[in-house]
Amino acid sequence: GGAIFGYDAVMTIAAIDPPVELAVIVIRPDAILDAVRGCADRGIRVPDHWSVAGFDDQPLSAYVSPALTTVAFPADELGRQAGRLLAELMAADTRAPETPASIVLPVTLVVRSSTSRVRS
């Protein structure tokens, strides 16, 4: 078996007995709406039962119900930096670098209504 995403992941987790309270983080932007749909199909209310958050703050995230909490990051800058590093590596040498390059870019947590506070 390979990785499961979105709807299928929710169906698998929701089948756990006894049920669990959970926060689901969906990395693939195309899978977060499937995850929320899976919750609805299983009677799991977001965010009352489970919190759901995504990555990549797609414009649609603010307009679905519930509006999705996401992590926004500068994708354009990520692409520019990756291209710059690749060009530098190609110009410098054909050998792999001793130490891989590391770039840190800012991210922002965009809190919307698909998540709730941790319950004790």
Side-chain angles (χ1 to χ4, degrees), residues 60-115:
L60 183 60
S61 298
Y63 299 104
V64 297
S65 181
L68 301 170
T69 295
T70 64
V71 175
F73 70 98
D76 292 347
E77 182 62 19
L78 178 65
R80 276 191 289 281
Q81 293 290 338
R84 181 187 58 78
L85 281 174
L86 180 59
E88 287 175 8
L89 286 170
M90 291 172 59
D93 199 324
T94 57
R95 295 179 295 123
E98 297 278 330
T99 306
S102 178
I103 297 173
V104 177
L105 296 175
V107 297
T108 304
L109 178 62
V110 181
V111 179
R112 297 191 181 101
S113 59
S114 68
T115 52

Side-chain angles (χ1 to χ4, degrees), residues 12-31:
T12 300
I13 296 167
I16 296 172
D17 190 27
V20 294
E21 287 191 12
L22 188 64
V24 177
I25 300 173
V26 182
I27 301 299
R28 290 178 44 161
D30 59 331

Side-chain angles (χ1 to χ4, degrees), residues 35-60:
V36 172
R37 183 174 55 91
C39 287
D41 286 355
R42 290 294 300 220
I44 298 166
R45 290 189 315 273
V46 175
D48 297 333
H49 296 140
W50 289 6
S51 288
V52 176
F55 191 78
D56 196 17
D57 199 32
Q58 297 292 316
L60 183 60

